[in-house]
């Protein structure tokens, strides 16, 4: 269960959050969240339902707006500045629980649309990138099908390829396997593991313990909108320090 | 009962089984069947008696040209034929491109028959004996060419070109005098009004729908008020207001009455269209927009590439329904005196030579309206099936 | 420090400010457009030596209106003003619209049930009915009803009464409760009674939603309405009496007399709208889960009981919003009265406009009147809608 420890102490900071607060109306979804993710680091975020995991990672590419505190991604601070937001979105890829593929476009078009429209890549070049990525996630033969014709696992792999097509430095995953049937989870996790070893910075919301133990450098535990505990996977799963983490683990492992 | 089920000939027994189940399953059903049969017999009988012994059908051929094109000058009629042939060709292309790899579908036949029938009712003579076969031929030529070589998308753009072409050919002076729009009439004017209404109201309606669903409260409020006010007003009132206010607006001069009616019908139709499109926009899961923004697409790109294509596809049936309603609503310009099909019919009815022929006239134009509306709605049903299967 | 960073963002790159700017620009453009419109209209009016004032409403109208009263108050063209004549038109519009809604609903629901009948022939007949009516313009249908059917009927002198009802080319005459001329006007009582009925309905459906107790709000409402009508009837000294049409030398007198224009418009609107209501009914019934029918049949309920007790109440919830749209359409289509010469509000306003030379104002008023009618109907439908939605909790 041990992994080759990456030496991240000298690596530059990829994501920096300082005292982030986020409200939905009067409800506070994030309370004074601070954390740092180094370049090349793989971080797994876990926590009970409604604890603010999604809210936090959606703040990182401005799908949600935080009210106070600072979020700096790749040296660029998230402010109301359009230029900063665009720059950060270019560097951050995201994979959703419900895939969110574009149903009116083919698999290949799903992947090439952003490179062509945002990076202004030629069609041929974009399709080359797209086919290479489909190769990488193992479904090149599905290129001309529509998303609706694919299985859930295949769709999620297309979604990963689509995010990778913009060559992001950081990848965000929001429970990428929890909408999948058990037999399809592995094929998606395999792709994610391969990605984790490639040196990209990853932040994953997932409850897949095997995945976390194998590739995560760090576990961040959220509860009630706060970061409660940060530890290596081994430490976290074997001897959690806080009661809330213990309770949570006993609930997900207990039965 | 048992005995009838066991009759030796299988076909008869299948029919009897069917009748047993669908017509005489209960005593009440038997009574209903009897009553309906009587009703049908009575309608068919009285219609036939009227149609074959009493009706004075001569009024139709005698006024056929009026019904079709109104007071359009006879020496300029080549314009109408040119447009008809070009439209026939494009319609052929349209059906051909949609019927890739399939055998002849029935629409080309129906169109060709209709063109021929229209022509037969008028006096058959020199120009017609050339022009009608040309139009019929154009439908089929278009069909085969379209099936072999064109994508449906290419044809959609062709339609826009044909529309512009038609408006020019029908009016512009090429040296021997043009045609005033007030001389457009009959079915031709009905068609022009419907097409202009549909084409012009589409962008306006989509824009209003986007405005109404926008996250910006001021824009949303203004669009909502506009849509609801227009939808709360009858089309007739919109026409009256357009007749009075548009000239005032554009400098009090004598603005073309047809143009005013077009503005009225466009604004009216756009408000309804906006509500249909809004349904499509709101049915789109928010994840679609989030995914697009997360990929770095701009707001406009997200709208044009992701949101609208899906939203519009979802509301195609509603949009066609809207088109049919608009086609029927063109008859209301009767009230402001434009000479489209319904108005022309009424003026023929009031012609002393044709007193007492309202049944024949209204029957005929009802059939004309019906054919076009029904064709549109069954076309929409087919389209819906196609869209559903390639999901 | 966040605020410091943001202060340095130029406004043309700040999402918040951009959103605000976009809205302000849009608003300014719209306001400018409206100003331009008003300005141009003013210029145009000046050029034609007209002015946009509503003073003419106080002048004597001086034209006859073929039928109707200002909600029960008789109209006299020699002394009454334009303002009053508008109400005569409005009364006529409401008369045809409200009657039309009720009849169209009854007919439409019947045809809609017929569409789903297990009897093949009935289903086909209903389908043909719907398709023919929906695919031809309502205006043409009105012409047919008026010029072909109604004006094609025998003259009143030759008409045969059926159950005391005369149908002829001078319209419809039927036995009815009629206002006694020297008695107080009964019409306001009816309006009050309907309003009270609606209030009772709203109250009880609300209470049902809060307490969860099954309350037949609809029946209470009807009872309240009837009660007020009856009390009013006796309180005012029985101002209504039974009257039957009698044929004399100059047509028919007595009973309720309806003009051929009203009859044609009413039939036309009812039949046209019923085809849409039929489709709404069909869709509503089909939206009810098939298991519901099977469960009801398994419990031993008959076909019509299943329909009445199980399916229609559930289908109704789906049907209400599109039904409300049809009521709106019917009301708006009643403006086609102009085409066959029925004195609805638009027709009266049109005449008033020509008579006074104030066309702009009269059509402006027409627009406002229809907007008020439309929003009222929309409001009532929403009210009913929220009442029935609560009930499902
Ligand atoms: N758009 C919103 N409006 C109001 N409240 C919201 C909104 N989105 C999330 N919340 C609330 O914020 C809190 C955190 O939600 P979030 O989706 O981040 O939880 P989560 O940790 O991702 O949970 P899960 O494991 O169920 O996905 C929840 O209580 C949720 O109800
Ligand atoms: Mg979540």
């Amino acid at each position: 269960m041990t992994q080759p420890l990456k030496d991240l102490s000298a690596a530059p900071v990829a994501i920096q959050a300082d005292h982030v607060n986020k409200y939905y109306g009067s409800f506070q979804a994030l309370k004074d969240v601070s954390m740092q993710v180094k370049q090349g680091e793989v971080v797994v975020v876990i926590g009970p339902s409604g604890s603010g995991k999604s809210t936090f990672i959606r703040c990182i590419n401005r799908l949600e707006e935080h009210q106070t505190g600072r979020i700096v991604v790749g040296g660029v601070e998230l402010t109301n500045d359009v230029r900063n937001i665009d720059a950060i979105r270019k560097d951050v890829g995201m994979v959703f629980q419900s895939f969110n593929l574009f149903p009116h476009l083919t698999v290949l078009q799903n992947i090439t649309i952003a490179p062509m429209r945002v990076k202004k890549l030629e069609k041929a070049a974009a399709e080359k990138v797209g086919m290479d990525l489909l190769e990488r996630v193992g479904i090149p033969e599905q290129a001309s099908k529509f998303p609706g014709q694919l299985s859930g696992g295949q769709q999620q792999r297309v979604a990963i390829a689509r995010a990778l097509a913009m060559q992001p430095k950081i990848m965000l995953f929001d429970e990428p396997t929890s909408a999948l049937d058990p037999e399809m989870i592995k094929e998606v996790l395999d792709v994610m593991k391969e990605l984790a070893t490639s040196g990209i910075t990853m932040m994953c919301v997932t409850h897949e313990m095997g995945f976390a133990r194998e590739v995560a450098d760090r576990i961040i535990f959220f509860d009630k909108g706060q970061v409660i505990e940060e530890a290596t996977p081994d430490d976290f799963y074997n001897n959690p320090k806080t009661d809330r983490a213990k309770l949570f683990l006993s609930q997900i492992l207990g039965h | 009962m048992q005995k009838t089920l066991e009759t030796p000939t299988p076909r008869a027994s299948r029919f009897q089984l069917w009748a047993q189940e669908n017509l005489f399953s209960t005593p009440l059903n038997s009574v209903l069947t009897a009553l309906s049969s009587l009703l049908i017999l009575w309608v068919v009988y009285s219609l036939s008696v009227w149609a074959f012994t009493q009706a004075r059908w001569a009024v139709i051929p005698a006024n056929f040209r009026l019904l079709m094109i109104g007071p359009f000058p006879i020496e300029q009629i080549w314009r109408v034929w040119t447009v008809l042939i070009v439209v026939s060709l494009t319609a052929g292309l349209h059906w051909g491109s949609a019927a890739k790899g399939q055998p002849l579908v029935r629409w080309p036949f129906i169109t060709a028959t209709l063109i021929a029938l229209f022509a037969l009712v008028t006096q058959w003579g020199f120009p017609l004996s050339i022009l009608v076969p040309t139009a019929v031929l154009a439908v089929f030529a278009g069909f085969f060419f379209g099936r072999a070589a064109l994508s449906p998308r290419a044809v959609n753009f062709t339609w826009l070109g044909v529309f512009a072409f038609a408006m020019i050919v029908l009016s512009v002076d090429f040296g021997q005098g043009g045609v005033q729009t007030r001389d457009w009439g009959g079915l031709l004017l009905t068609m022009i009004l419907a097409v202009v209404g549909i084409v012009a109201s589409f962008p306006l309606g989509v824009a209003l729908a986007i405005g109404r669903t926008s996250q910006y409260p001021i824009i949303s409020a203004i669009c909502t008020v506009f849509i609801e006010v227009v939808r709360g007003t009858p089309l007739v009132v919109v026409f009256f207001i357009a007749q009075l206010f548009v000239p005032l607006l554009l400098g009090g001069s004598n603005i073309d009455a047809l143009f005013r009616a077009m503005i009225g019908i466009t604004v009216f139709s756009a408000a309804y269209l906006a509500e249909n499109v809004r349904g499509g926009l709101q049915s789109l899961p928010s994840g679609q927009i989030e995914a697009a923004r997360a990929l770095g697409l701009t707001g406009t790109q997200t709208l044009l590439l992701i949101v609208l294509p899906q939203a519009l596809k979802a509301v195609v049936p509603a949009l066609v329904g809207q088109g049919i309603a608009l086609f029927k609503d063109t008859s209301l310009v009767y009230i402001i005196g434009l000479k489209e099909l319904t108005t022309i019919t009424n003026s023929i009815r009031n012609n002393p030579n044709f007193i007492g022929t309202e049944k024949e006239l209204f029957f005929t134009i009802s059939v004309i309206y019906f054919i076009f509306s029904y064709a549109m709605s069954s076309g929409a049903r087919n389209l819906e099936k196609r869209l559903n299967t390639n999901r | 420090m966040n605020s410091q960073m943001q202060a340095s963002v130029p406004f043309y790159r700040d999402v918040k400010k951009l959103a605000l700017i976009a809205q302000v620009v849009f608003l300014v453009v719209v306001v400018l457009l409206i100003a331009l419109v008003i300005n141009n209209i003013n210029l145009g009016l000046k050029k034609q030596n007209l002015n946009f004032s509503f003073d003419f409403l106080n002048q004597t109208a001086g034209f006859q209106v073929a039928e109707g009263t200002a909600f029960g108050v008789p109209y006299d063209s020699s002394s009454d003003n334009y303002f009053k004549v508008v109400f005569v038109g409005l009364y006529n519009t409401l008369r045809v619209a409200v009657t039309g809604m009720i009849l169209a609903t009854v007919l439409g629901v019947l045809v809609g049930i017929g569409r789903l009948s297990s009897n093949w022939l009935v289903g086909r007949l209903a389908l043909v009915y719907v398709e023919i009516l929906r695919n031809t313009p309502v205006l043409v249908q009105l012409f047919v009803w008026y010029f072909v059917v109604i004006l094609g009927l025998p003259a009143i002198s030759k008409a045969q009464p059926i159950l005391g009802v005369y149908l002829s080319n001078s319209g419809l005459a039927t036995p009815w409760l009629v206002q006694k001329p020297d008695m107080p006007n009964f019409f306001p009582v009816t309006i009050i009674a309907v309003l009270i009925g609606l209030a009772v309905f709203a109250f009880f459906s609300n209470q049902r939603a809060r307490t969860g107790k099954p309350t037949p709000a609809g029946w209470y409402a009807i009872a309240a309405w009837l009660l007020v009508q009856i009390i009013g009837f006796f309180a005012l000294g029985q101002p209504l009496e039974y009257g039957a049409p009698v044929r004399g030398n100059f047509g028919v007198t007595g009973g309720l007399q309806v003009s051929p224009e009203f009859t044609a418009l009413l039939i036309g609107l009812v039949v046209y709208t019923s085809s849409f209501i039929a489709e709404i009914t069909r869709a509503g019934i089909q939206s009810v889960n098939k298991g519901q029918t099977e469960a009801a049949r398994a419990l031993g309920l008959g076909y019509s009981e299943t329909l009445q007790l199980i399916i229609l109440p559930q289908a109704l919830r789906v049907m209400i919003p599109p039904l409300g749209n049809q009521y709106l359409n019917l009301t708006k289509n009643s403006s086609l009265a102009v085409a066959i010469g029925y004195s609805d509000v638009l027709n009266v306003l049109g005449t008033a406009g020509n008579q006074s030379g104030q066309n702009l104002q009269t059509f402006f008023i027409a627009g406002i009147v229809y907007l008020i009618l439309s929003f009222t109907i929309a409001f009532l439908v929403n009210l009913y809608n929220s009442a029935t939605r609560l009930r499902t909790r």
Side-chain angles (χ1 to χ4, degrees):
Chain A
M1 279 292 116
T2 49
Q3 46 190 308
L5 267 178
K6 288 183 212 166
D7 183 15
L8 293 162
S9 53
V13 175
I15 304 171
Q16 170 89 43
D18 292 326
H19 309 289
V20 172
N21 286 297
K22 155 99 196 141
Y23 299 82
Y24 288 113
S26 61
F27 173 76
Q28 188 167 8
L30 293 178
K31 294 174 192 152
D32 198 36
V33 172
S34 297
M35 71 165 68
Q36 203 181 51
V37 178
K38 293 281 179 69
Q39 248 174 43
E41 194 176 9
V42 176
V43 173
V44 163
V45 178
I46 66 173
S49 181
S51 56
K53 309 179 296 287
S54 299
T55 305
F56 180 68
I57 76 166
R58 288 157 60 86
C59 279
I60 293 171
N61 65 351
R62 234 336 143 86
L63 288 183
E64 303 287 353
E65 190 193 335
H66 62 285
Q67 272 87 32
T68 60
R70 247 160 77 87
I71 299 178
V72 182
V73 181
V76 180
E77 180 175 1
L78 260 182
T79 59
N80 286 336
D81 192 338
V82 191
R83 200 194 280 173
N84 291 10
I85 296 173
D86 286 347
I88 288 171
R89 281 187 180 155
K90 227 175 260 180
D91 273 353
V92 178
M94 185 160 196
V95 175
F96 302 84
Q97 178 175 355
S98 49
F99 326 139
N100 294 346
L101 292 178
F102 306 130
H104 62 302
L105 302 178
T106 63
V107 164
L108 190 59
Q109 286 170 336
N110 261 280
I111 299 175
T112 55
I113 188 166
M116 282 169 64
R117 301 292 173 159
V118 182
K119 283 195 176 165
K120 311 290 178 205
L121 234 53
E122 291 290 321
K123 187 171 181 211
E127 286 184 346
K128 168 103 185 30
V129 172
M131 284 313 296
D132 288 349
L133 282 168
L134 281 176
E135 203 84 53
R136 189 168 165 193
V137 299
I139 39 172
E141 72 284 357
Q142 311 288 357
S144 54
K145 287 198 185 162
F146 284 92
Q149 299 166 307
L150 267 53
S151 75
Q154 292 172 327
Q155 289 193 42
Q156 194 60 300
R157 284 188 277 162
V158 174
I160 295 175
R162 177 176 71 176
L164 290 175
M166 289 297 286
Q167 292 168 314
K169 300 196 182 74
I170 302 169
M171 281 287 282
L172 306 175
F173 292 83
D174 191 357
E175 306 203 34
T177 55
S178 49
L180 296 177
D181 293 337
E183 71 269 21
M184 292 168 187
I185 292 181
K186 185 174 174 299
E187 62 187 55
V188 172
L189 287 181
D190 284 345
V191 171
M192 288 171 63
K193 281 177 198 163
E194 186 266 329
L195 203 57
T197 54
S198 72
I200 199 168
T201 312
M202 275 171 69
M203 182 179 266
C204 310
V205 178
T206 180
H207 294 160
E208 293 293 334
M209 195 169 76
F211 171 82
R213 295 198 133 180
E214 201 173 317
V215 300
D217 298 302
R218 191 153 42 111
I219 305 273
I220 297 179
F221 176 66
F222 262 79
D223 193 16
K224 305 217 169 88
Q226 285 170 306
V227 177
I228 303 293
E229 190 165 339
E230 289 187 61
T232 63
D234 280 345
D235 280 350
F236 183 77
Y237 286 111
N238 296 335
N239 43 32
K241 288 192 275 304
T242 60
D243 290 343
R244 277 198 246 174
K246 279 181 197 151
L247 181 68
F248 175 71
L249 282 175
S250 74
Q251 274 164 352
I252 63 165
L253 299 174
H255 304 285
Chain B
M1 285 268 158
Q2 284 294 58
K3 234 178 168 180
T4 54
L5 293 181
E6 287 159 15
T7 38
T9 45
R11 289 203 52 189
S13 94
R14 202 184 307 157
F15 172 74
Q16 280 169 3
L17 265 177
W18 176 88
Q20 171 77 40
E21 204 170 286
N22 293 295
L23 297 176
F24 306 106
S25 57
T26 61
L28 175 70
N29 252 341
S30 306
V31 173
L32 281 176
T33 304
L35 286 178
S36 313
S37 311
L38 279 180
L39 181 68
I40 294 172
L41 280 180
W42 177 71
V43 170
V44 170
Y45 173 77
S46 25
L47 253 183
S48 318
V49 166
W50 170 72
F52 295 116
T53 66
Q54 296 165 351
R56 291 155 52 199
W57 289 115
V59 64
I60 305 301
N63 293 291
F64 196 71
R65 202 182 76 216
L66 264 183
L67 287 171
M68 289 300 109
I69 55 176
F72 205 93
I74 182 88
E75 66 281 3
Q76 301 278 4
I77 208 159
W78 58 271
R79 294 169 185 264
V80 181
W81 278 103
T82 312
V83 169
L84 183 65
I85 288 169
V86 170
V87 168
S88 305
L89 184 71
T90 319
L93 288 175
H94 182 106
W95 291 313
S97 68
K100 277 263 142 51
Q102 289 164 19
L104 264 185
V105 285
R106 60 186 189 283
W107 281 112
F109 283 114
I110 295 174
T111 317
T113 321
L114 280 180
I115 295 176
L117 263 182
F118 277 9
L120 281 179
V121 184
T122 54
Q123 295 89 347
W124 186 259
F126 156 66
L128 286 184
S129 56
I130 305 266
L131 290 168
V132 173
T134 312
V136 172
L137 222 65
V139 175
F140 285 101
F143 184 85
F144 288 113
F145 181 72
R147 193 174 57 169
L150 283 182
S151 75
R153 184 177 294 208
V155 180
N156 287 345
F157 284 106
T158 314
W159 274 123
L160 283 182
V162 169
F163 170 64
F165 172 82
M167 298 306 277
I168 292 170
V169 169
L170 286 175
S171 58
V172 172
D173 183 352
F174 299 111
Q176 279 115 25
V179 176
Q180 303 291 315
T181 57
R182 66 164 177 274
D183 289 338
W184 292 354
L187 182 61
L188 176 71
L189 182 58
T190 298
M191 288 296 182
I192 290 174
L193 274 169
V195 172
V196 168
I198 290 168
V199 171
S201 66
F202 187 76
L204 182 59
V206 171
L208 282 170
I210 293 170
R212 185 164 184 179
T213 51
S214 117
Q215 59 197 353
Y216 304 138
I218 298 180
I219 297 181
S220 169
I222 292 174
C223 290
T224 306
V225 168
F226 183 85
I227 292 172
E228 291 306 331
V229 165
V230 174
R231 274 171 21 108
T233 316
L235 181 54
V236 181
V237 175
V238 173
F239 278 142
F240 279 132
I241 290 179
Q243 289 303 305
L244 288 169
F245 280 81
V246 171
L248 282 178
L249 261 183
L250 302 179
S253 56
N254 43 347
I255 309 280
D256 190 42
L258 176 60
F259 178 72
R260 297 180 236 168
M262 284 174 175
I263 290 192
I265 207 165
T266 301
V267 168
F268 183 78
S269 180
Y272 281 81
L273 201 124
E275 283 305 274
N276 286 330
V277 173
R278 181 165 75 108
L281 290 174
Q282 288 177 337
S283 70
L284 199 69
S286 61
Q288 290 289 313
I289 297 168
E290 287 173 359
R293 298 314 299 271
L295 282 171
L297 295 177
T298 64
T300 320
Q301 285 174 332
T302 306
L303 187 68
L304 292 180
L305 300 171
I306 307 300
V307 176
L308 276 186
Q310 295 187 57
L312 291 180
K313 197 166 155 182
V315 295
V316 161
L319 295 186
V320 177
Q322 174 68 44
I324 296 173
L326 190 140
F327 173 72
K328 292 188 295 169
D329 280 346
T330 57
S331 59
L332 301 199
V333 296
Y334 161 79
I335 301 212
I336 48 173
L338 293 182
K339 300 172 196 132
E340 54 63 71
L341 194 52
T342 306
T343 317
I344 290 280
T345 305
N346 263 301
S347 58
I348 299 173
R349 190 175 65 77
N350 290 328
N351 181 334
N353 294 331
F354 301 108
I355 288 288
T357 55
E358 45 271 293
K359 275 187 203 166
E360 292 80 354
L361 285 165
F362 288 130
F363 183 83
T364 307
I365 66 165
S366 299
V367 169
I368 294 175
Y369 279 114
F370 183 87
I371 288 174
F372 284 101
S373 307
Y374 192 76
M376 277 192 264
S377 61
S378 62
R381 272 194 292 265
N382 289 341
L383 189 66
E384 206 177 335
K385 264 188 223 142
R386 261 219 320 277
L387 291 177
N388 279 340
T389 47
N390 75 25
R391 259 287 158 114
Chain C
M1 55 197 146
N2 205 356
S3 53
Q4 275 172 5
M5 292 292 295
Q6 285 184 359
S8 67
V9 179
F11 70 89
Y12 55 85
R13 272 174 22 206
D14 186 319
V15 271
K16 290 268 167 61
K17 287 179 194 147
L18 281 177
L20 194 69
I21 291 168
Q23 296 192 69
V24 170
V25 168
F26 190 82
L27 187 67
V28 168
V29 169
V30 170
V31 169
L32 279 181
L33 240 127
I34 294 175
L36 189 75
V37 166
I38 292 176
N39 186 40
N40 272 4
I41 288 177
N42 273 336
L43 284 180
L45 286 172
K46 229 173 251 158
K47 216 183 273 173
Q48 298 176 22
N49 273 328
L50 297 170
N51 70 338
F52 198 78
S53 103
F54 290 93
D55 297 340
F56 74 99
L57 286 175
N58 292 324
Q59 295 162 15
T60 308
F63 63 90
Q64 300 282 342
V65 180
E67 59 187 301
T69 56
F71 294 90
V73 185
Y75 163 79
D76 177 0
S77 65
S78 61
S79 58
D80 285 332
N81 59 16
Y82 283 111
F83 196 68
K84 186 162 176 188
V85 83
V86 174
F87 279 90
V88 178
L90 184 61
Y91 171 72
N92 283 337
T93 291
L94 287 176
R95 212 155 53 111
V96 77
V98 173
T99 325
M101 285 178 207
I102 296 168
L103 296 180
T105 311
V106 174
L107 186 59
V109 168
L110 284 179
V111 176
I113 293 172
R115 281 277 271 125
L116 294 169
S117 164
S118 60
N119 186 315
W120 181 85
L121 209 53
V122 173
R124 289 283 123 169
L125 263 182
L127 176 67
V128 170
Y129 175 91
V130 168
E131 290 290 359
I132 289 179
L133 292 170
R134 292 207 316 171
N135 286 311
T136 48
V138 59
L139 180 62
V140 174
Q141 291 179 27
L142 282 180
F143 284 145
V144 170
W145 287 114
Y146 186 60
F147 291 117
V148 178
V149 178
I150 301 288
L151 296 189
L153 286 169
I156 185 69
S157 53
K158 298 207 186 91
Q160 288 305 315
I162 305 165
L163 298 173
V165 178
Y166 288 84
L167 196 57
S168 71
N169 67 3
S170 40
L172 183 83
T174 169
W176 203 257
L177 290 175
V178 288
Q179 172 83 41
K180 288 185 201 158
D182 45 357
M183 285 292 209
N185 190 349
F186 191 66
F187 194 85
V189 176
T190 308
I191 292 183
I192 293 169
V194 169
L195 288 180
I196 289 180
L198 283 175
V200 166
F201 180 79
F203 176 77
F204 280 108
S205 10
N206 209 345
Q207 194 179 47
R208 177 168 47 195
R210 269 188 294 110
T211 62
K213 268 197 216 127
T215 320
W219 291 116
Y220 286 174
I222 290 174
W225 164 64
L226 272 178
L227 198 69
V228 177
Q229 290 275 28
I230 292 167
I231 292 175
F233 177 73
F234 287 107
L236 293 183
Q238 309 183 19
L240 300 180
E241 65 184 349
Y242 175 82
V246 187
R247 181 157 44 193
N249 288 339
F250 306 98
V252 166
T253 49
L256 179 71
Q257 308 258 353
V258 182
S259 70
E261 291 77 24
F262 178 89
T263 315
L265 185 63
L266 181 68
I267 298 178
L269 292 177
V270 164
V271 168
Y272 180 74
T273 311
S274 75
S275 69
F276 290 88
I277 295 184
E279 284 305 274
I280 292 170
T281 309
R282 182 181 64 92
I285 291 178
Q286 283 179 336
S287 76
V288 177
N289 187 339
K290 208 160 177 224
Q292 295 281 327
T293 323
E294 282 159 8
R297 299 305 286 268
L299 285 173
L301 295 177
Y303 176 74
S304 65
E305 283 166 318
T306 309
L307 199 63
Q308 276 176 37
L309 299 174
I310 311 294
I311 300 183
L312 277 184
Q314 295 189 57
L316 210 57
R317 216 165 291 145
V318 184
M319 288 165 56
I320 291 299
L323 212 52
N325 265 336
Q326 288 311 317
Y327 292 160
L328 271 175
N329 286 344
L330 189 149
T331 308
K332 286 184 286 173
N333 283 337
S334 73
S335 62
L336 294 179
V338 171
I340 57 173
Y342 173 67
S343 307
D344 79 326
V345 69
L346 182 61
N347 200 354
V348 165
L349 277 167
T351 315
N354 287 335
Q355 188 95 4
S356 60
Q358 314 280 331
N359 267 318
L360 277 180
Q361 289 90 317
T362 54
F363 286 121
F364 187 81
I365 295 174
I368 302 283
V369 166
Y370 282 104
L371 276 185
I372 293 173
L373 288 180
S374 298
F375 290 152
T376 310
I377 295 173
F379 173 76
L380 289 178
V381 170
N382 281 342
L383 205 70
Y384 182 82
N385 218 359
S386 50
T388 49
R389 203 175 20 227
L390 286 171
R391 197 189 302 173
T392 61
R393 273 218 218 116

